[in-house]
Amino acid sequence: MTEAGPQPGAQPQPGARPQPGTRPQPGARPQRGTGLSALETDWRTLDARMLLIHPVTEGIRFLPALAAVFIAGRTSDGHDWWQLAAVAAVVVLGVLRWLTTRYRIGNGQIELRKGLLNKQVIATPADRVRTVDVTAPVFHRLLGVAKVEIGTAGGGHRGERIVLDALGAAEARHLREELLHRRGSQPSELPGEVSTWADDGRPPVAAEAGGPEAETTLLVLQPSWVRFAPLTISGFLSGLAVVGFGGQFVSQGFGLRGLRGAEQRVSDTPLWLALTAGAGTVAVAVSVLAVVGYVLSFWGFRLTRHSGGSLHVSRGLLTTRETSIEEARLRGLEVGEPLGLRLAGGGRLQAVTTGLSRRENDRGNAWLVPPAPRAVVERVAAEVVGDPEALSAPLTRHGHAARRRRYVRAVGPALLVSGVAFALTLLRGWPGWVLALAGLTVLASPALAKDRYAGLGHHLTARHLVVSSGSFSRRRDALSRDGIIGWNLRQTLFQRRSGLVTLTATTAAGKQGYHLHDVEQSRAVQVGAEVTPALVEQFLAR
Amino acid sequence: MPIGDPGSGQAPPGVVALREPAHLVSPRARVMWFVGGVAQALVLAAAQALWWRVDAEGSRAPHVVLGAAFVVPALAYVVVMPQWRYRVHRWESTPTAVYTQTGWVTQERRIAPVSRIQTVDMTRGPVAQLFRLASVQVTTASAAGPLKIHGLDVDVARRLVDELTTATAAAGGDAT
């Protein structure tokens, strides 16, 4: 696996780009930190403790089927044993996979050989490693192993990730340290990005290997932040899902007699009492479950910054995750303030970074601050990105036409729903509370529209484009101006008539596109021309 | 056209606007879109005919109502859409950027820099091949930003693809 790299023995200057087409001389090797050579191995299998873990995890995945076979009795046509055979087959496949997977670290490369029928070899130069995530689900932790996922330049959606499932825990951590902290001897390789470091006032990484890496802790989770757990949409929804799911079991378990008795009791109590009691129970259950979810996800949350130029996050109660975000790949921040959090004075922070596939983004590898007080979010954001104005400056509103659209889009559907409810109540005799509920939404919709307009805005600082939108799920995204690739300007028929446009700044990071909704046409073009003048000015109307 | 100093965020006097991209797509694209529209309408009409046959008993009133509700919009779509689309679809490629305008009811303009282009594809569906047309798709590192130009004459498309691939190779880099 040849690579275009710096000439051996020469230290690349910060800001220099490796010339395309150059190669290391045959027989010579670029300088490497001694740490990696200490880890060199020949072809090895993954840790043998996986042979214990794999059947257990597969068994758990098939637990419903197994339960059906054993608990529900070995009755019926005997086809139940097919399910057992399926589980056994899965376990055997897992063992075979373990047997056929080999990895090797050496020669400045990490190689993984895997595949039963389709043999695959994935090799990565250690130079190209950008992220190393160490994950230890509960069974892994019990046995002292951890899963290592190595991501390379080019990102997960283009490059192959090397997944070593699993290595011994100490070995995994050591490998991670070595792969990530070799920054000390080789500056980041991304062309054109290193010059931004100098503009920020942060010194580029020293060309010579430095002393021990300095690690500053930016954030440690405080247990009192758990109070924010039920207030986030995802917390609420996951709690609701569990309650709904559990409710099915409960109703089945009760049996018909129990239900009839309960129904009798419910119809005896007045409606309002039953409703409030029901709502109260649901709320409590959802809160408890959301808190449990929060604790499982974020316990022990710790955000640190390494002087080598990466941010490290470790978190998790049963499954521990250690992820890293390279600062050269950071293209901005997303401050999330869903309605509940906002009312309680909280917020959360995620990184906008290239190199994470969408799957990883969804899994939450970009967390910088879990739901926490707003002051904490602002402090960490200022420290990570160094542009306090980006997150606190007042936003430019989008004008009267945008406000009108917010109201129309909020009140219109509410009126429509009420109209339908009214018709149904009148013609089909639906109960009155449906109409009351619809009327309630009509009353609430102007408030929603007002909040949505208040959350809509944008701002341009020297280094960032700040975009804000939403009410229930409000986000304020600060996008680095360097990371913006191009622009989309979208107009529906109604927007054209109002002279509005939805401007999207496209970027290779995070959500890929960040929208300024319903901004005036000329303002949209102004924003584009200010951020990327070389790109937009050639297309201006003269 | 005056623009406020970078970073000031102030609105300058005067209105700033984007002009349209310079080139139209091929006039034959109208025929291609017409054929596509007719095909869609025929599919829906066939579904209705099937329903007519299947639901033979019972009153014919819902069939007639649906048929009437379908015919006028379908005719309007098939006649109006190609011409409208043709007037809206435009494209332009400069040494530093690609600029497209697409759509008909909802219109979208996209600008992407040549230095961040990752792939340039030319595709020709069966109908496009009939009319000697092609589509060019330009993707950048952002998943939100592919630029698509449909209905280009095939020679024009080939030239555009060549231009863009040469320009992209010259720019080099990681493109993120």
Side-chain angles (χ1 to χ4, degrees), chain A residues 367-448:
Chain A
W367 281 110
L368 291 178
V369 180
R374 183 96 168 92
V376 171
V377 169
E378 285 176 3
R379 174 185 64 82
V380 172
E383 284 194 43
V384 167
V385 102
D387 190 359
E389 192 198 341
L391 289 162
S392 54
L395 299 169
T396 312
R397 301 272 157 235
H398 287 181
H400 297 299
R403 184 195 290 145
R404 202 176 50 231
R405 264 176 75 87
R406 292 283 144 286
Y407 275 94
V408 166
R409 286 163 68 109
V411 177
L415 280 177
L416 190 66
V417 166
S418 310
V420 168
F422 184 67
L424 281 174
T425 315
L426 215 56
L427 301 174
R428 295 297 188 92
W430 275 30
W433 59 264
V434 171
L435 189 58
L437 207 61
L440 218 63
T441 55
V442 172
L443 285 178
S445 55
L448 177 67

Side-chain angles (χ1 to χ4, degrees), chain B:
Chain B
M1 196 61 64
I3 312 248
D5 357 313
S8 71
Q10 297 297 319
V15 164
V16 180
L18 280 177
R19 61 171 169 77
E20 288 192 314
H23 311 293
L24 291 168
V25 298
S26 161
R28 294 195 302 280
R30 285 179 294 188
V31 187
M32 178 178 78
W33 288 320
F34 176 77
V35 167
V38 164
Q40 288 171 3
L42 281 180
V43 165
L44 287 175
Q48 287 202 355
L50 191 66
W51 181 39
W52 176 282
R53 282 215 54 192
V54 163
D55 191 19
E57 60 279 346
S59 96
R60 288 299 190 189
H63 295 252
V64 171
V65 165
L66 193 64
F70 162 73
V71 160
V72 173
L75 267 179
Y77 174 74
V78 158
V79 165
V80 170
M81 180 270 285
Q83 190 62 30
W84 194 346
R85 265 230 166 97
Y86 176 70
R87 290 221 314 260
V88 170
H89 276 235
R90 282 168 170 270
W91 62 278
E92 184 172 344
S93 144
T94 71
T96 50
V98 180
Y99 177 28
T100 61
Q101 177 174 279
T102 54
W104 55 305
V105 177
T106 299
Q107 296 177 5
E108 187 164 9
R109 288 175 170 170
R110 294 190 174 191
I111 307 178
V114 162
S115 59
R116 307 286 196 111
I117 290 179
Q118 290 191 343
T119 67
V120 181
D121 305 324
M122 180 169 95
T123 51
R124 308 183 65 198
V127 181
Q129 291 192 32
L130 267 178
F131 294 104
R132 279 190 55 235
L133 297 170
S135 299
V136 172
Q137 172 165 311
V138 173
T139 62
T140 63
S142 168
L147 281 75
K148 300 182 195 167
I149 312 167
H150 298 288
L152 283 175
D153 179 72
V154 93
D155 300 318
V156 171
R158 285 211 186 100
R159 248 203 329 264
L160 177 63
V161 169
D162 287 338
E163 259 177 51
L164 287 177
T165 35
T166 343
T168 312
D174 189 44
T176 54

Side-chain angles (χ1 to χ4, degrees), chain A residues 487 489 491 496 512 538-539 541, chain B residues 17 105 107 109 111 142-143:
Chain A
W487 304 95
L489 297 100
Q491 281 184 312
R496 271 208 296 287
Q512 308 293 310
Q538 57 190 309
F539 299 122
Chain B
V105 177
Q107 296 177 5
R109 288 175 170 170
I111 307 178
S142 168

Side-chain angles (χ1 to χ4, degrees), chain A residues 236-363:
Chain A
F236 181 77
L237 282 180
S238 54
L240 202 61
V242 177
V243 165
F245 196 57
Q248 283 183 13
F249 282 122
V250 164
S251 65
Q252 282 174 8
F254 252 140
L256 201 53
R257 225 172 341 164
L259 253 186
R260 252 190 253 131
E263 209 180 302
Q264 187 61 36
R265 258 171 302 168
V266 165
S267 54
D268 281 345
T269 57
L271 183 65
W272 63 269
L273 186 60
L275 270 183
T276 36
T281 324
V282 167
V284 166
V286 164
S287 303
V288 166
L289 289 164
V291 165
V292 168
Y294 186 96
V295 166
L296 283 176
S297 264
F298 295 121
W299 195 252
F301 192 99
R302 196 184 182 84
L303 172 67
T304 59
R305 165 187 267 149
H306 274 249
S307 62
S310 54
L311 296 164
H312 292 185
V313 173
S314 63
R315 62 184 178 96
L317 183 62
L318 292 181
T319 299
T320 54
R321 290 179 204 285
E322 292 174 37
T323 59
S324 52
I325 299 170
E326 207 188 332
E327 287 195 81
R329 305 206 124 208
L330 202 61
R331 297 279 183 276
L333 294 175
E334 289 178 22
V335 177
E337 292 180 294
L339 185 63
L341 271 189
R342 200 161 68 240
L343 292 174
R348 59 190 183 193
L349 191 68
Q350 283 180 293
V352 174
T353 163
T354 62
L356 281 183
S357 67
R358 164 152 301 174
R359 192 177 46 100
E360 288 155 0
N361 244 329
D362 292 341
R363 250 195 3 216

